[in-house]
Amino acid sequence: MPSTDSRPTSAPPHGARSGSVPAARHAPGAAGLLPLLRVRLRYAAPALLAYAAVRLTGLLTLALWAHRRHHGVWPTLADQWDTVWYLGIADHGYTRHLGSAFDANNLAFFPLYPVLVKAVAVLTPGSRASTGLGIAVVCSFLAAWGVHAVGSHLHGRRVGVLLTVLWAALPVGLVQWMGYTESLFTAFAAWALYAVLTGRLLWAASLAALAGLTRPTGVAVAAAVAVTALLSLRRGFTLRALAALVLAPAGWLAYVGWVGLRLGRWDGYFAVQRLWHNEWDGGAETVRRLREVLAQNSSPELFLVMVTVTLLTAVALYALSAGDRQPLPLLVFTGVLLLIVLGSGGVYFPRARFLLPGFPLLLPVALHLSRASLRSRTLFLTAAVLGSAYCGAYMVLVWPSAP
């Protein structure tokens, strides 16, 4: 068990672990930052190349399937479903009224991604839809780098690469290269968790604040950082830990508070979520839909079966993660993420996508594969990559609703 589990603010340098990239004991100055980043990027290069290969396999499968169905690939990835909401916010801003129509208030969508789309589009050619897709793809590589950093820091380079490949090959992995917020959010979450594990609380809190401006589940990243800061304060008061404790949830609280002020009611954000049927029900709707898919419907939609299997697998993986005594920040992050996704009364079919940032859940699988024979590892990963390619194309070309 890494020492960061019990002493997150005083982690040993990377060299203390077999297969880990060397790192400076202190934060580098401006002059030393770029060389250090280059070293870490070279270290992560195999994982990033593997990530690109997995996602390009999915993209090629989508292109071939879309061609047979006379669909365009670009509109499928850049200008459909939730992407339309984000582009609308980038173009016209947020509404000022709550209204009464269901599934129609854009205040349900957090602001950082559409703000980035609007800002970057000024500097780049093409449409805002193309800009949004480009941001998602770039952020997916930053996220993959962060996933590798966490895995290799805890268990060595091989596990880091395997963890990255498994994250790329999730059934809904295609979303990583769509105009959605999952890639941006996962990048913030992964690097925030890495910062926590390496004792950089203020960096972690800053990234958690940005995650809180990206998706509602940013509160899970904030919780992981806040718990670490609280444990640090129990051992002894420091301004750094106190600042991290305050900063980590600031992004999420700022947006929720702003929505309340905009609508003139303290529960404005939660009123918006009720219009999107996203009330907290403790998991009653999730259980109902699980029972429906598994027992009551004799021929459920394939995509709903995939979502159901993903949810059940995520719960099992969390139990394995707890049994493996993962570092507390990872368990807090994935635990809160699961509580939000499973405890919501909202729509059922996007829940596999909502769990996409929960990459630490894949650590038990990555660890097992790292000890398996080369043949077993190759067969498993090949099946995962091909399954992800098929599920991704099916998700956007056959399934009639949003991913």
Side-chain angles (χ1 to χ4, degrees):
M1 173 56 58
S3 61
T4 48
D5 189 19
S6 58
R7 294 185 290 108
T9 59
S10 57
H14 286 279
R17 292 179 177 83
S18 174
S20 296
V21 63
R25 290 182 181 272
H26 304 287
L33 180 59
L34 288 179
L36 180 58
L37 287 176
R38 283 197 292 269
V39 170
R40 289 179 173 172
L41 186 58
R42 285 198 299 271
Y43 180 76
L48 297 180
L49 289 173
Y51 174 78
V54 175
R55 293 287 13 109
L56 286 172
T57 300
L59 185 63
L60 177 61
T61 303
L62 172 64
L64 293 174
W65 196 337
H67 177 73
R68 292 176 62 89
R69 295 176 64 93
H70 306 290
H71 280 281
V73 172
W74 181 90
T76 300
L77 300 177
D79 196 18
Q80 288 192 29
W81 301 298
D82 285 5
T83 303
V84 176
W85 286 99
Y86 290 117
L87 294 176
I89 294 167
D91 288 337
H92 308 295
Y94 284 103
T95 182
R96 294 182 176 274
H97 307 286
L98 178 61
S100 57
F102 288 107
D103 305 334
N105 193 305
N106 66 3
L107 288 166
F109 297 87
F110 277 53
L112 187 55
Y113 178 70
V115 167
L116 281 176
V117 170
K118 185 173 184 177
V120 176
V122 175
L123 307 173
T124 55
S127 65
R128 284 181 173 171
S130 298
T131 299
L133 180 57
I135 289 172
V137 172
V138 170
C139 287
S140 75
F141 281 93
L142 293 174
W145 189 5
V147 170
H148 174 264
V150 171
S152 61
H153 175 77
L154 291 175
H155 302 291
R157 193 178 195 180
R158 175 181 291 183
V159 172
V161 173
L162 289 170
L163 183 64
T164 307
V165 172
L166 290 171
W167 182 70
L170 286 171
V172 292
L174 180 64
V175 173
Q176 297 162 10
W177 282 13
M178 294 177 66
Y180 275 50
T181 59
E182 272 70 21
S183 290
L184 177 63
F185 179 78
T186 305
F188 287 138
W191 285 107
L193 293 172
Y194 178 75
V196 166
L197 294 173
T198 55
R200 298 170 173 88
L201 269 182
L202 285 181
W203 275 107
S206 301
L207 292 165
L210 292 172
L213 289 170
T214 307
R215 290 195 58 80
T217 46
V219 71
V221 187
V225 177
V227 166
T228 306
L230 282 171
L231 291 176
S232 179
L233 287 170
R234 284 188 62 185
R235 290 190 296 271
F237 178 82
T238 64
L239 286 176
R240 184 181 298 270
L242 180 61
L245 180 63
V246 173
L247 179 59
W252 189 88
L253 291 173
Y255 182 67
V256 171
W258 179 81
V259 172
L261 290 173
R262 192 170 183 85
L263 297 180
R265 50 186 294 177
W266 71 270
D267 66 338
Y269 171 76
F270 302 100
V272 171
Q273 289 296 332
R274 285 193 291 273
L275 289 177
W276 283 86
H277 308 283
N278 278 336
E279 303 96 332
W280 171 266
D281 67 359
E285 176 65 11
T286 302
V287 171
R288 186 186 73 81
R289 294 304 301 268
L290 287 172
R291 186 182 299 128
E292 179 182 290
V293 171
L294 295 174
Q296 298 174 354
N297 191 339
S298 59
S299 55
E301 286 274 2
L302 176 62
F303 184 71
L304 294 181
V305 173
M306 186 272 290
V307 171
T308 300
V309 171
T310 299
L311 296 181
L312 294 174
T313 302
V315 173
L317 289 175
Y318 186 79
L320 290 174
S321 299
D324 286 346
R325 296 177 60 83
Q326 274 187 16
L328 183 60
L330 302 189
L331 291 175
V332 171
F333 168 64
T334 51
V336 174
L337 184 66
L338 278 170
L339 282 175
I340 294 171
V341 173
L342 299 179
S344 168
V347 289
Y348 184 73
F349 52 81
R351 298 192 190 198
R353 169 169 64 89
F354 295 163
L355 286 176
L356 194 150
F359 69 91
L361 293 170
L362 299 169
L363 268 171
V365 183
L367 281 167
H368 180 77
L369 288 175
S370 71
R371 300 162 185 151
S373 67
L374 177 61
R375 180 176 180 274
S376 298
R377 190 160 59 239
T378 301
L379 288 174
F380 184 92
L381 292 178
T382 300
V385 171
L386 295 179
S388 174
Y390 177 83
C391 288
Y394 184 93
M395 174 178 68
V396 296
L397 295 176
V398 180
W399 171 248
S401 298

